[in-house]
Amino acid sequence: MELCNSTLESGFILVGILTDSGSPGLLYTTISVLYTLALTSNGLLLLVITVDARLHVPMYLLLGQLSLMDLMLTSVVIPKTLVDYLRGENAISFEGCALQMFLVLTLGGAEGLLLAFMAYDRYVAICHPLNYTVLMRPRICWLMMATSWTLAFLNSVIHTSYTMHFPFCMTREIRHLLCEIPPLLKLACADTSRYEFMVYVSGSIFLMPSLAAILASYMFVLVAVLHMSSGEGRQKALLTCSSHLTVVGMYYGAAMFMYVQPSSYHSPQQDNILSVFYTVITPALNPLIYSLRNKEVMGAFRRVLGRFSFIQDGGCHIEVL
């Protein structure tokens, strides 16, 4: 009981990948660069989609939400990790741990659902182009985004409150980059087997239908693309779909290893690598995958830059006058 009270008062110690790494300095630099890239690329993409009216269509509104989620997700975890390494302290309060878990589950869950809606958007655009404005009208697009946030929020509230109600009296050290369900349950001094099974079932229910919907959407898209008469249109569609599937593979692969794989197969090293993957690598790569070869996004980016340059030049001209 004293150990349990101590955990509530003093919190936990995050023994993440930087602590266990043989080359923490190199890894710290790599994560810092990736985090800076994630902030810059997602921030710019979100700015361009918000400012340029030509991108106010369902595909780019959903992409803007993805950038927002990635921006928030990586900022919930990585800054604390980097600052803790520099300070030589890895402590996190009980309340801070609960908040971090809640935010990561909410943002991660919302992103998984959003990827399914983005796949549906591409399916409608390619397989039913004449009905696109009806099937993906603004009200439906906003409903998709609201559904992603709401379901992820409810799932996060349930799992965070239930996980944090256990008495933690094994040790204060969480051998993980952040506060998540699997590593925290290893610290509980109560029987968590039923809840671990519930996490497995809920993770499967949350991830599998979305993944099945994504795969079905892109299967229909692939069939439609192969029947296209235009070689240029076929190439553009295949390029778009392949980039989307790359994002899906990165996200769902890490999520399924973390939340669908039985706890007996988890190891601190594997979990730490997975956590780095979906908290900084994926957020850094997502905007690059979606935008670098997208002529509309790059065109909008140039227009926004030109607009800001014009405003700046105009301000200098006024000062001269």
Side-chain angles (χ1 to χ4, degrees):
M1 183 61 69
E2 291 180 0
L3 284 170
C4 296
N5 293 335
S6 175
T7 300
L8 289 173
E9 293 172 3
S10 57
F12 302 97
I13 298 174
L14 292 170
V15 184
I17 193 168
L18 289 176
T19 306
D20 286 343
S21 173
S23 304
L26 178 61
L27 189 57
Y28 175 89
T29 303
T30 303
I31 293 176
S32 299
V33 171
L34 287 172
Y35 177 62
T36 303
L37 179 61
L39 282 183
T40 305
S41 56
N42 283 293
L44 283 175
L45 184 57
L46 191 57
L47 174 66
V48 168
I49 292 173
T50 303
V51 171
D52 196 298
R54 300 184 192 183
L55 298 185
H56 292 177
V57 295
M59 174 182 175
Y60 296 111
L61 290 176
L62 294 175
L63 181 56
Q65 285 292 298
L66 181 66
S67 289
L68 177 62
M69 292 172 184
D70 281 337
L71 195 62
M72 295 174 66
L73 178 59
T74 192
S75 296
V76 166
V77 178
I78 301 304
K80 175 174 173 51
T81 300
L82 299 178
V83 171
D84 284 351
Y85 175 76
L86 292 177
R87 294 172 57 189
E89 298 178 3
N90 299 318
I92 185 170
S93 67
F94 184 87
E95 295 79 9
C97 186
L99 177 61
Q100 189 181 64
M101 178 188 296
F102 168 76
L103 291 174
V104 168
L105 286 175
T106 300
L107 295 165
E111 182 168 332
L113 294 173
L114 187 73
L115 289 173
F117 289 133
M118 292 175 74
Y120 173 76
D121 172 74
R122 291 299 83 205
Y123 160 73
V124 175
I126 294 175
C127 298
H128 304 282
L130 299 179
N131 297 323
Y132 184 79
T133 55
V134 177
L135 296 175
M136 286 300 296
R137 56 188 180 273
R139 181 179 296 181
I140 292 179
C141 184
W142 287 107
L143 180 62
M144 288 178 173
M145 291 186 282
T147 300
S148 299
W149 285 104
T150 303
L151 292 181
F153 171 81
L154 294 175
N155 178 69
S156 180
V157 167
I158 293 171
H159 281 296
T160 301
S161 57
Y162 203 88
T163 300
M164 300 308 289
H165 98 283
F166 285 110
F168 300 104
C169 49
M170 300 296 290
T171 177
R172 291 178 57 214
E173 290 189 353
I174 302 175
R175 300 189 62 81
H176 198 51
L177 181 67
L178 67 150
C179 290
E180 282 196 281
I181 296 173
L184 265 173
L185 291 182
K186 293 180 180 179
L187 309 185
C189 55
D191 181 18
T192 61
S193 57
R194 291 184 179 180
Y195 180 58
E196 287 178 13
F197 179 73
M198 190 174 82
V199 171
Y200 168 78
V201 171
S202 64
S204 300
I205 293 173
F206 207 84
L207 293 170
M208 293 304 185
S210 299
L211 181 59
I214 291 171
L215 295 178
S217 296
Y218 283 113
M219 182 183 69
F220 286 117
V221 166
L222 181 61
V223 172
V225 166
L226 292 177
H227 286 84
M228 282 185 175
S229 57
S230 170
E232 183 180 352
R234 185 187 306 137
Q235 183 179 3
K236 182 180 178 181
L238 285 173
L239 185 63
T240 301
C241 294
S242 63
S243 66
H244 291 193
L245 285 173
T246 301
V247 174
V248 168
M250 289 191 298
Y251 172 82
Y252 277 92
M256 291 177 68
F257 269 108
M258 198 68 194
Y259 288 99
V260 178
Q261 186 176 236
S263 60
S264 57
Y265 291 93
H266 283 268
S267 68
Q269 293 79 13
Q270 173 188 285
D271 290 351
N272 267 316
I273 292 172
L274 289 174
S275 64
V276 170
F277 204 83
Y278 57 74
T279 58
V280 66
I281 295 178
T282 302
L285 294 180
N286 276 354
L288 302 180
I289 290 173
Y290 276 104
S291 62
L292 276 184
R293 295 186 179 180
N294 189 308
K295 295 180 180 179
E296 292 178 344
V297 172
M298 297 307 295
F301 181 66
R302 284 190 290 269
R303 287 193 296 271
V304 170
L305 283 181
R307 188 181 308 174
F308 280 110
S309 298
F310 176 78
I311 293 173
Q312 185 177 2
D313 293 342
C316 294
H317 182 65
I318 291 172
E319 289 180 6
V320 171
L321 293 175

